Amino acid sequence: MTFERLSSSTEALKRPTRSERVGRCYIARPRYFPVCFAAMMLRPRFHFTPPANWLNDPNGLVYFDGEWHLFYQHNPFGIDWGHMSWGHAVSRDFVHWEHLPVALPEQPGYMIFSGSAAVDWANTGGFGDGVRPPLVAAYTAHSPHEQTQHIAFSLDRGRTWTPYAGNPVIAIGSREFRDPKLFWHAPSGRWVMACALADRRQVRFYGSPNLRDWQHLSDFGPAGATAGLWECPDLFPLPVEGDPTQQRWVLKVDDQRCGAQYFVGDFNGERFACDDPPSVRRVDFGKDFYAAQSWNDAPGGRLDTGSPTRRVWLAWMSHWDYAARTPTAPWRGMMSAPRELALRRDDDGLCLVQRPVRELRVLRRAHWRIEDVACGAANDRLRAMDAHGTALEIAATFLACAGSAEFGLKVRVGAAEETVIGYNAAEGQLFVDRSRSGNVSFSPRFAERHAAPCPLRDGALALHVLVDACSVEVFADDGRVVISDLIFPEPESDGIEVFGDGATRVQSLDVWALA
Ligand code: FRU
């Protein structure tokens, strides 16, 4: 394992240790701290990571029998991408995750790439035993010559899987054909699978009555952002907030250069039609929210029940620009916080909004609150209360005045580092600046500032922020503008500050330390 390689490769192991301050306590730190202990201290508190080794995309997200299943692209043998298999974990509350054995291991001749899972309630595929509905998975078999779509099923709550003997179910002789998103489309009474034709920048839809025989339905794209390969499509209906009788479909697809984008429109069981001429609509303006996938069969979210939908997704928090070099060990790769989705009618049409799932609130511990103070005074109050933490939830509302220039929050503040979450009033932009956030040296493409157009509402900016050991997720404009970024600060950089000129006021600031 790489962790052993890292630690044993250094002579420092034999040298004496010294004590250093970590967080609010002193612990003995070995001399090899910079290499491996620091890497371990970056383990998130409430974001999902594999026990060890490499992780990328979420796969096979399905809710069944009280469990939120999270499968993921995983290398069971190392901290670098390779031997791609589906790792597996389950949660009953989005907070505690139970790690389970690898569900779909690499096979001779091909790796198991990204895909999805669903419950076959009516046993349409005939894989069931007449007692329990089978879980079915659709995934890409990746060989050097071709990418094809395979099906597997499980009769024991996703613990063990049997590949369908007739695999592949779809093969078109392409090397850039992957990431099937499978779901049951009740109105047309059949399965739909959305796949990426990566180099053509298209999403291809297939339909099937039985999961075995698939018919090509239609293609969408190229549209919107097309600079990079297209990967990991997702397609689902969402109600319009405040008007639950109205429902539109969201098609999300990732562009390897520009990140996740989405289109709003209608899906009639055969074809996706955009409501407006397709434009680039970004899901997240940070760099680290990729390959998002939403859960199938979420409680209250089953299309066939007609009950109000709950649509939750999460994404891989990294970017192919530097994913192979992020300085963590003995694991590499983490998931975002799970987010609940909705559509909101806004000035520029229907917009996707994302909010952290309410289940995360149980993590709240110490609480600090300040109200109606100028930015400078806010810092005195924060210091007096000793507000700090490496895992935090923050809700802040700033009131800008005519003279306001730049204002916002700084988190993970240490002697020589800080992550800035700010608003530039002249540009009308929210930003996260991680150029001084800690270790930024592992890639020339990491130390950046990421900005998003974001209006003030009645002169106010309301932020909802999740901070963890190596990440920040910033939700603004009630979830319409999101910036998700990795950061790699020192574990003792746990300060929180407010910044801004005299013209800007902190209307309210709530900080919770998270368990
Ligand atoms: C997206 C992706 C997918 C592919 C998987 C391989 O991050 O490139 O297209 O299935 O990762 O690990």
Side-chain angles (χ1 to χ4, degrees):
M1 245 171 47
T2 307
F3 175 57
E4 283 157 9
R5 212 165 57 219
L6 278 174
S7 52
S8 59
S9 68
T10 164
E11 275 289 290
L13 268 174
K14 296 176 203 111
R15 288 189 208 134
T17 61
R18 64 197 151 103
S19 277
E20 284 185 43
R21 182 172 168 275
V22 173
R24 304 269 136 176
C25 58
Y26 286 84
I27 61 159
R29 261 194 192 179
R31 270 286 167 94
Y32 58 89
F33 176 86
V35 184
C36 58
F37 191 72
M40 289 165 63
M41 291 297 284
L42 290 164
R43 174 84 79 179
R45 298 267 195 84
F46 63 97
H47 287 81
F48 181 84
T49 48
N53 298 327
W54 170 273
L55 165 151
N56 58 293
D57 314 349
N59 293 156
L61 301 190
V62 61
Y63 178 91
F64 182 62
D65 206 11
E67 294 179 325
W68 300 94
H69 287 266
L70 169 56
F71 300 89
Y72 54 90
Q73 284 288 281
H74 184 47
N75 178 357
F77 306 111
I79 202 163
D80 298 309
W81 187 91
H83 302 288
M84 297 319 292
S85 305
W86 277 23
H88 189 196
V90 289
S91 175
R92 290 183 172 273
D93 57 5
F94 288 129
V95 172
H96 305 90
W97 291 96
E98 180 191 345
H99 295 290
L100 294 169
V102 167
L104 291 167
E106 178 189 27
Q107 295 296 306
Y110 64 90
M111 295 197 263
I112 313 291
F113 270 21
S114 284
S116 51
V119 187
D120 186 4
W121 293 103
N123 195 24
T124 61
F127 302 124
D129 56 7
V131 186
R132 300 188 130 221
L135 293 186
V136 289
Y139 53 91
T140 299
H142 166 90
S143 81
H145 323 288
E146 195 179 1
Q147 295 186 332
T148 57
Q149 313 319 322
H150 285 214
I151 295 284
F153 61 93
S154 168
L155 299 175
D156 58 359
R157 297 156 59 238
R159 272 44 180 189
T160 59
W161 291 83
T162 309
Y164 166 50
N167 280 333
V169 290
I170 311 177
I172 58 168
S174 167
R175 282 198 221 175
E176 298 283 359
F177 174 48
R178 55 182 175 270
D179 309 336
K181 175 64 197 265
L182 176 73
F183 65 95
W184 177 253
H185 185 255
S188 59
R190 67 174 168 204
W191 294 97
V192 171
M193 193 195 274
C195 299
L197 291 172
D199 55 346
R200 290 201 222 164
R201 279 72 168 166
Q202 285 186 318
V203 179
R204 174 162 286 188
F205 300 103
Y206 291 88
S208 171
N210 58 9
L211 297 160
R212 300 162 189 240
D213 308 303
W214 291 90
Q215 177 200 353
H216 175 203
L217 300 174
S218 63
D219 298 330
F220 175 84
T226 54
L229 293 173
W230 274 22
E231 301 182 308
C232 301
D234 198 352
L235 175 68
F236 46 83
L238 277 185
V240 175
E241 263 186 348
D243 187 3
T245 58
Q246 265 253 44
Q247 172 187 280
R248 306 307 292 156
W249 286 76
V250 173
L251 174 64
K252 185 274 317 183
V253 66
D254 299 273
D255 175 292
Q256 237 188 42
R257 289 243 189 97
C258 313
Q261 62 174 331
Y262 71 97
F263 305 92
V264 179
D266 187 41
F267 181 70
N268 63 3
E270 202 163 315
R271 187 170 291 280
F272 176 81
C274 235
D275 281 348
D276 304 307
S279 57
V280 181
R281 309 186 84 182
R282 295 182 64 179
V283 169
D284 193 302
F285 290 81
K287 200 150 169 181
D288 301 308
F289 190 82
Y290 198 71
Q293 186 177 118
S294 67
W295 265 275
N296 273 327
D297 293 283
R302 279 181 36 204
L303 285 177
D304 48 346
T305 64
S307 59
T309 56
R310 185 179 194 205
R311 186 59 62 168
V312 180
W313 74 6
L314 51 62
W316 174 41
M317 277 199 87
S318 196
H319 192 286
W320 284 116
D321 272 358
Y322 43 71
R325 289 194 262 165
T326 51
T328 62
W331 89 100
R332 184 180 280 137
M334 64 184 274
M335 294 302 174
S336 71
R339 304 169 180 183
E340 188 142 351
L341 304 177
L343 281 176
R344 198 173 75 204
R345 197 170 294 287
D346 223 309
D347 303 340
D348 24 317
L350 287 172
C351 300
L352 186 68
V353 293
Q354 308 177 67
R355 302 177 185 113
V357 292
R358 55 184 176 270
E359 283 88 341
L360 296 181
R361 291 183 203 156
V362 303
L363 293 164
R364 292 175 180 174
R365 293 294 181 273
H367 177 211
W368 300 281
R369 179 176 169 87
I370 56 180
E371 273 176 327
D372 196 26
V373 283
C375 283
N379 278 331
D380 297 337
R381 300 280 299 280
L382 285 171
R383 258 190 304 276
M385 294 188 294
D386 196 24
H388 67 275
T390 56
L392 297 171
E393 180 179 352
I394 303 168
T397 304
F398 293 90
L399 268 185
C401 299
S404 294
E406 254 185 27
F407 57 89
L409 296 164
K410 295 180 180 179
V411 297
R412 301 306 307 269
V413 180
E417 58 192 41
E418 61 188 24
T419 298
V420 186
I421 301 163
Y423 189 78
N424 184 298
E427 292 165 3
Q429 287 196 330
L430 177 75
F431 66 88
V432 170
D433 188 342
R434 65 177 177 188
S435 53
R436 296 181 56 235
S437 58
N439 183 352
V440 295
S441 62
F442 56 90
S443 163
R445 303 176 119 162
F446 189 79
E448 294 171 341
R449 169 176 156 141
H450 302 132
C454 181
L456 297 176
R457 303 280 179 192
D458 295 324
L461 175 76
L463 298 176
H464 189 185
V465 182
L466 297 176
V467 180
D468 205 342
C470 62
S471 63
V472 287
E473 290 160 278
V474 182
F475 302 81
D477 200 21
D478 201 18
R480 194 182 59 84
V481 179
V482 188
I483 302 183
S484 305
D485 275 333
L486 290 174
I487 50 170
F488 298 102
E490 290 287 323
E492 55 264 48
S493 298
D494 62 358
I496 162 166
E497 287 174 13
V498 168
F499 72 97
D501 39 60
T504 312
R505 287 188 83 75
V506 179
Q507 193 176 53
S508 67
L509 173 64
D510 288 281
V511 181
W512 291 270
L514 298 184

